[in-house]
Amino acid sequence: HHVQLQSEALKEWKQHIEPKKNDIESIKKDIVSHTLETLCRNPYNLDKMAVYQATAHAVRDRLLEDWNLTQEAIHQQNPKRCYYLSMEFLIGRALDNALHCLEVKDAYKQSVKDLGFSLEDLLEQERDAALGNGGLGRLAACYMDAAATLDYPTWGYGLRYQYGIFKQIINNEGYQTEVPDYWLNADGNPWEFPRSDIKYEVQFYGYVATKVNEKGESRMSWEGGDKVQAMAYDVPIPGYDTKGCGNIRLWSAKSLKTFDFASFNDGDYDRSVADQKNAENLTSVLYPNDNHNVGKELRLKQEYFFVSASLQDIIYRFKHTNAAWKEFPDKVAVQLNDTHPTLAIPELQRILVDIEGLEWDDAWDIVTRVFAFTNHTVLPEALECWSVPMMEKILPRHMQIVYDINLFFLQKFEKVFQNDRGLLNRVSIIEESNPQQVRMAYLAVVGSHTVNGVAALHSELIKTELFSEFIKYYGPEKFINITNGITPRRWLYQANPALRELITETLGSKKWVTHLDELKNLKKYAEDKSFQKKWIDVKLQNKTRLADWIKTHLDISVDPHALFDIQVKRIHEYKRQFMNILSVIYRYKNIQLLSAEERKELTPRVVIFGGKSAPGYYIAKMVIKLITTVAQVVNNDDSIDNLLKVVYIPDYNVSLAEIIVPASDISQHISTAGTEASGTSNMKFVLNGGLILGTVDGANIEIRDEIGEENIFMFGTLSDKVADIRHHQKYHGVPMDPNLQVVLHAIQAGEFGGFETASVFGPLINTLTYGGDYYLISADFEQYLDAHDKVDALFKDKTTWAKKSILCTAGMGFFSADRATREYADKIWNLKPFTIEKK
Ligand code: CRA
């Protein structure tokens, strides 16, 4: 680090800086001066992007006041801090969110209007910060919002990918194609602060030697290899109703001029220049897999780069307080968001033993009191494993340390469970395959003091299946549940202005925005006719907003009075979008058979899909193709009297979710029981008064318990029955549901896209037949269709529907990210809020 200078004069002058003002005249001046000075644009040379940028800079100045206050307060109070390590932060747009959190949106709207622009237009200029795949990354963003709002001294750490999750294009043939998301385009990103003074070196490759340290002790030392530089970028995270402001520190890889030519490149100059470019590749792209692990070398390097830089930064800050190492766990909590940052465990152990000279056991005691681990999935294909030879090459010292961690763990384990070789093999951090693999989830369990699942059922499955052998040793207390939560700021206050106003007016205050339990006071209006009318009107407004979007962007006309049935999430076999579209085909064929009289009785439906498939996930891509093909046929069939429309919304992302979520009558969360750890969009839809059609899985179960089982449509095989059915189907074939059979025949007969297209769907259909129907689509199909019938019937009864919808919103207090974050702080981090003024 560079020399830190102190200036008394600067300290003195700091007192004279006037706080920014929020009146319209001041805001206009701020925007204009940013236009002229920050952007060097003039009134003859403006566009919406420039005015957006100027407005964003004006808002960010206000955020920064809070940011600086916060850092000062935390510095002075020196509380225990928590660091949330996550390879993904799916933030979305920042401007609208900041305007709402600072409660200056109206003033800005007027100011921008006075200057000749529309704020809504400007908001549309912003690119999403899409540094995540799906639920896991969005969860991290929601928790940062909550931590900032609750004044927890919590920072996020992540990677500053130059390319976020790809942009999805649905081509003319109805297939997904991918376009890179270069979100840090030439316009620049006003929401990040480059910290050129905060840089660390990160090492790769090399070898391990023994060295004698200052105390004369012999220690291992990691020598040679490659070095890459990590530079910090800070992203301020506004809190609501507080002067506090949170932070996510993202690392960007830069090449180092001081390259280790001697030991690695051996004077090979041109190669070393090429390697410098390679250094920057480290943080160029987010891996676009959701719930799927690929085991690529570059990914391992990203993970280590991330944890190395973050730990160096955390330790630098800790050392600044002159505390002794044994106090580290009292000052620092680190949460590992899934196994992606698990290398932090051997990395901290390495720093403490090799560099700081602590004894192994003392170091290990510190490590295991600092880290806690959140597991987000039980799907085997998602569990990270790294091949031992790869780790040995890239991180030779860490591999040794992992072996030692494993050895000491197994030795202790063996004392308790003697003479059970099989058991030792099953709990070993090293899998004895060829090549051997490091089981990262096991390493995370052994190196953490607490392991949590993300919904009640999921946390049970962790104990009974994933980590069942570990319970025998650690006891059950180490494994806890913290059900996921979502931020009510973005997902109701910001995304649903009409409902926000109705709720605030009805409850008489905005307390609900930070105390979501207050929503329960809506229950008493559930049967109030005039309230129901307003409630229904809000929903209609939001459906109209979405219908307009669909008309403008996709040129499909949908009737806002029809039932909006929505499934938006990553495309995955376990999420069963396939089952959904098969039921749509069933509905379509049924409508064709109905008489004019019968058709009058049917509820018109708009079935909306959205979501990205991993680029290499063939079956998921076929599901998209099937949906778009069915949409083509159905939407162009004039004979069905607009009773059915099918819409595929391309490039589903956070910004689109903000328009889609408030517009659902029904949303579908229909994973095979036991596969969806929690789901979080289920919470968003219900919070906005949408009913759920779902399976008995993930957080659906707790949503049911909170809102009442009469207010949710649930169906399907229970999780404890799934394994038996799979086993049976594997050996005795899949009993094909008769209605499903009809649907599959229709596809095979070329009713959707002709014979040539039908052959494209062959492999997809085979997953149900020869493939053994692993996700139980056939087994659940009848119950699924029955549930749809119930939805249709109930939708005709507007009053009952409105009542249920109100009770949905009213029952969602528990699912606030504030509650979840408090649980982490109380049960895992032992963290208290710091003191700062309220707004
Ligand atoms: N894919 C789960 O599948 C869960 C989120 C956040 C997931 C979701 O059910 O809501 O995490 N798991 O807890 C995951 O990413 C690596 O595992 C997800 O987003």
Side-chain angles (χ1 to χ4, degrees):
H1 271 272
H2 60 110
V3 184
Q4 298 215 338
L5 302 174
Q6 300 268 340
S7 161
E8 290 309 316
L10 208 150
K11 274 186 200 159
E12 164 61 23
W13 274 98
K14 198 174 141 224
Q15 313 300 318
H16 299 296
I17 301 280
E18 298 263 318
K20 302 278 177 204
K21 297 204 201 90
N22 291 331
D23 62 281
I24 290 164
E25 292 312 299
S26 308
I27 292 173
K28 276 191 277 192
K29 278 188 208 158
D30 291 344
I31 296 176
V32 172
S33 79
H34 276 299
T35 308
L36 302 178
E37 292 157 15
T38 311
L39 304 171
C40 193
R41 302 285 285 262
N42 60 49
Y44 313 102
N45 155 27
L46 275 181
D47 50 30
K48 284 181 190 169
M49 178 51 88
V51 186
Y52 154 70
Q53 292 272 342
T55 310
H57 275 95
V59 175
R60 125 185 163 159
D61 285 347
R62 278 167 175 65
L63 269 187
L64 281 189
E65 291 177 342
D66 296 353
W67 199 95
N68 285 326
L69 263 179
T70 304
Q71 299 325 315
E72 219 172 281
I74 297 180
H75 184 78
Q76 275 165 14
Q77 295 166 33
N78 190 24
K80 182 176 185 182
R81 303 179 192 231
C82 170
Y83 300 104
Y84 195 83
L85 266 56
S86 179
M87 291 281 280
E88 304 189 10
F89 287 95
L90 192 43
I91 299 171
R93 288 175 175 158
L95 178 54
D96 200 23
N97 185 247
L99 289 170
H100 281 298
C101 286
L102 298 168
E103 295 202 277
V104 293
K105 184 159 181 185
D106 289 341
Y108 268 77
K109 197 176 207 148
Q110 188 58 48
S111 310
V112 164
K113 194 172 168 210
D114 289 356
L115 295 171
F117 297 88
S118 128
L119 181 61
E120 296 309 315
D121 272 3
L122 300 188
L123 297 179
E124 287 297 311
Q125 300 302 307
E126 185 176 350
R127 300 274 293 253
D128 273 39
L131 309 183
N133 276 287
L136 173 142
R138 183 54 234 178
L139 187 78
C142 280
Y143 286 173
M144 292 303 103
D145 172 293
T149 297
L150 299 175
D151 301 327
Y152 280 119
T154 299
W155 270 20
Y157 275 106
L159 289 181
R160 181 181 177 271
Y161 304 106
Q162 287 180 281
Y163 295 88
I165 186 71
F166 62 85
K167 182 175 160 61
Q168 178 192 52
I169 296 202
I170 303 294
N171 70 15
N172 290 334
E173 282 76 51
Y175 288 101
Q176 165 177 306
T177 58
E178 300 91 26
V179 172
D181 166 43
Y182 188 66
W183 69 295
L184 299 165
N185 61 9
D187 299 308
N189 173 11
W191 305 106
E192 65 176 11
F193 292 88
R195 296 274 181 214
S196 56
D197 58 327
I198 299 171
K199 291 179 184 146
Y200 299 99
E201 289 183 6
V202 178
Q203 186 176 0
F204 295 101
Y205 308 105
Y207 56 93
V208 181
T210 23
K211 264 194 174 171
V212 178
N213 69 12
E214 298 150 359
K215 297 183 211 156
E217 303 155 338
S218 171
R219 294 280 161 175
M220 296 297 192
S221 174
W222 182 16
E223 306 281 329
D226 245 353
K227 281 201 174 108
V228 178
Q229 190 173 60
M231 177 177 146
Y233 286 74
D234 285 342
V235 181
I237 302 298
Y240 180 84
D241 194 28
T242 171
K243 278 263 178 205
C245 180
N247 190 36
I248 302 179
R249 179 158 284 184
L250 301 177
W251 300 109
S252 178
K254 315 262 159 184
S255 66
L256 265 171
K257 289 210 186 72
T258 53
F259 224 67
D260 194 353
F261 293 102
S263 60
F264 190 68
N265 290 316
D266 209 13
D268 193 348
Y269 175 74
D270 44 348
R271 166 121 185 263
S272 80
V273 173
D275 283 355
Q276 292 201 16
K277 275 204 173 152
N278 281 341
E280 278 159 32
N281 278 344
L282 261 181
T283 48
S284 70
V285 61
L286 164 82
Y287 275 93
N289 303 309
D290 182 84
N291 254 312
H292 189 75
N293 170 46
V294 198
K296 291 253 180 70
E297 184 164 321
L298 180 63
R299 167 75 176 193
L300 178 62
K301 291 178 75 173
Q302 281 188 339
E303 292 184 354
Y304 179 65
F305 174 81
F306 168 46
V307 305
S308 167
S310 305
L311 275 180
Q312 288 184 65
D313 199 42
I314 291 166
I315 290 171
Y316 172 82
R317 196 167 303 117
F318 171 73
K319 285 193 166 177
H320 226 72
T321 65
N322 293 317
W325 271 116
K326 65 176 187 341
E327 291 168 47
F328 194 62
D330 304 319
K331 284 293 178 192
V332 172
V334 178
Q335 190 67 30
L336 305 173
N337 197 23
D338 213 89
T339 53
H340 317 150
T342 296
L343 286 168
I345 289 169
E347 171 67 354
L348 182 58
Q349 182 71 5
R350 183 186 72 85
I351 293 170
L352 294 178
V353 173
D354 292 2
I355 300 172
E356 300 291 332
L358 272 68
E359 293 306 319
W360 179 279
D361 287 347
D362 296 335
W364 188 242
D365 177 65
I366 291 172
V367 168
T368 50
R369 284 164 58 210
V370 163
F371 290 106
F373 161 50
T374 307
N375 170 277
H376 293 268
T377 183
V378 296
L379 299 188
E381 68 270 27
L383 300 179
E384 286 190 299
C385 281
W386 292 112
S387 94
V388 167
M390 194 201 288
M391 261 192 66
E392 251 158 8
K393 181 177 80 172
I394 296 171
L395 303 167
R397 179 60 182 139
H398 296 79
M399 194 59 244
Q400 292 180 340
I401 290 174
V402 170
Y403 273 129
D404 285 349
I405 292 172
N406 195 36
L407 175 70
F408 298 136
F409 166 67
L410 290 179
Q411 280 175 347
K412 285 194 221 149
F413 201 95
E414 200 182 15
K415 285 206 180 105
V416 188
F417 305 97
Q418 285 162 14
N419 306 320
D420 193 342
R421 271 292 176 111
L423 181 60
L424 285 188
N425 247 310
R426 290 199 298 279
V427 297
S428 174
I429 294 170
I430 309 293
E431 183 185 296
E432 297 301 331
S433 45
N434 194 3
Q436 291 176 309
Q437 306 273 334
V438 183
R439 296 161 162 160
M440 298 306 274
Y442 289 6
L443 179 57
V445 167
V446 173
S448 297
H449 58 85
T450 307
V451 178
N452 79 285
V454 290
L457 173 66
H458 169 65
S459 298
E460 272 315 300
L461 293 176
I462 282 180
K463 287 198 273 188
T464 54
E465 283 165 24
L466 212 50
F467 305 131
S468 59
E469 316 271 29
F470 289 86
I471 308 270
K472 296 181 191 163
Y473 176 74
Y474 289 114
E477 305 79 32
K478 177 165 175 164
F479 297 83
I480 70 171
N481 172 244
I482 298 186
T483 299
N484 283 167
I486 56 166
T487 170
R489 270 74 64 183
R490 186 176 292 259
W491 297 113
L492 204 173
Y493 194 80
Q494 175 187 336
N496 197 341
L499 193 59
R500 173 229 302 159
E501 295 307 318
L502 178 58
I503 292 173
T504 304
E505 175 198 303
T506 308
L507 298 182
S509 94
K510 283 185 176 179
K511 191 176 173 203
W512 61 271
V513 184
T514 47
H515 298 77
L516 201 61
D517 284 324
E518 291 291 308
L519 291 180
K520 68 177 182 296
N521 295 319
L522 291 172
K523 281 183 190 159
K524 54 176 171 288
Y525 303 99
E527 295 185 52
D528 176 325
K529 287 279 168 298
S530 86
F531 185 73
Q532 285 182 345
K533 200 181 156 300
K534 291 182 195 166
W535 192 268
I536 292 170
D537 185 56
V538 165
K539 185 56 87 180
L540 187 64
Q541 277 184 50
N542 290 322
K543 289 167 71 178
T544 305
R545 179 171 72 166
L546 179 58
D548 290 345
W549 189 95
I550 291 172
K551 181 69 195 164
T552 313
H553 293 86
L554 306 174
D555 200 25
I556 302 172
S557 302
V558 297
D559 178 2
H561 295 278
L563 190 159
F564 278 23
D565 168 350
I566 305 181
Q567 188 180 19
V568 284
K569 47 183 86 240
R570 288 297 290 257
I571 311 296
H572 214 298
E573 284 168 283
Y574 85 81
K575 295 178 190 281
R576 299 200 291 193
Q577 285 95 350
F578 188 24
M579 183 168 80
N580 186 350
I581 193 63
L582 291 169
S583 81
V584 171
I585 296 176
Y586 175 82
R587 174 176 292 266
Y588 174 58
K589 294 190 68 68
N590 222 26
I591 295 172
Q592 291 177 323
L593 301 175
L594 296 181
S595 67
E597 220 31 55
E598 287 167 319
R599 286 182 182 200
K600 279 192 199 132
E601 291 300 303
L602 195 69
T603 314
R605 259 208 212 212
V606 180
V607 186
I608 297 168
F609 291 88
K612 296 172 186 179
S613 158
Y617 192 168
Y618 175 76
I619 291 293
K621 286 188 149 179
M622 285 305 130
V623 171
I624 295 176
K625 168 66 179 166
L626 180 59
I627 297 169
T628 55
T629 307
V630 171
Q632 258 313 314
V633 173
V634 169
N635 298 345
N636 292 307
D637 185 344
D638 295 331
S639 75
I640 58 166
D641 305 335
N642 287 320
L643 285 170
L644 181 61
K645 293 276 176 191
V646 180
V647 180
Y648 202 99
I649 297 186
D651 201 38
Y652 177 61
N653 60 13
V654 171
S655 298
L656 280 172
E658 289 166 16
I659 301 172
I660 295 168
V661 166
S664 83
D665 294 306
I666 283 287
S667 69
Q668 297 200 38
H669 309 275
I670 56 176
S671 48
T672 314
T675 61
E676 189 72 277
S678 161
T680 42
S681 75
N682 44 6
M683 302 168 189
K684 294 165 196 168
F685 281 103
V686 182
L687 180 63
N688 284 278
L691 275 58
I692 281 187
L693 169 55
T695 44
V696 190
D697 198 19
N700 291 354
I701 299 170
E702 288 151 272
I703 293 174
R704 176 195 66 195
D705 295 346
E706 292 291 314
I707 67 176
E709 63 181 349
E710 63 287 2
N711 299 315
I712 185 166
F713 300 95
M714 281 196 136
F715 72 96
T717 307
L718 302 183
S719 68
D720 57 356
K721 302 282 180 293
V722 169
D724 280 353
I725 297 179
R726 278 181 180 160
H727 183 84
H728 191 270
Q729 291 184 166
K730 188 167 170 189
Y731 295 103
H732 302 95
V734 180
M736 204 43 74
D737 176 275
N739 288 317
L740 181 58
Q741 191 73 266
V742 173
V743 170
L744 297 183
H745 279 153
I747 299 172
Q748 283 162 330
E751 289 183 31
F752 301 94
F755 271 114
E756 219 168 294
T757 308
S759 67
V760 168
F761 299 129
L764 187 56
I765 293 174
N766 279 346
T767 62
L768 303 183
T769 51
Y770 306 106
D773 190 12
Y774 189 76
Y775 296 102
L776 273 54
I777 288 180
S778 180
D780 281 351
F781 205 65
E782 187 179 335
Q783 279 198 50
Y784 182 51
L785 294 183
D786 287 348
H788 271 295
D789 287 345
K790 292 193 181 120
V791 171
D792 282 322
L794 188 80
F795 195 68
K796 290 184 213 160
D797 178 355
K798 297 295 169 210
T799 307
T800 312
W801 189 282
K803 175 182 162 190
K804 288 182 192 293
S805 166
I806 296 163
L807 291 174
C808 275
T809 303
M812 287 303 287
F814 178 75
F815 299 96
S816 170
D818 301 346
R819 184 272 312 154
T821 302
R822 265 198 203 99
E823 279 195 51
Y824 278 94
D826 295 343
K827 297 182 184 164
I828 300 184
W829 304 334
N830 190 21
L831 196 74
K832 301 274 172 298
F834 63 99
T835 310
I836 192 148
E837 259 177 78
K838 285 278 153 197
K839 271 253 159 65

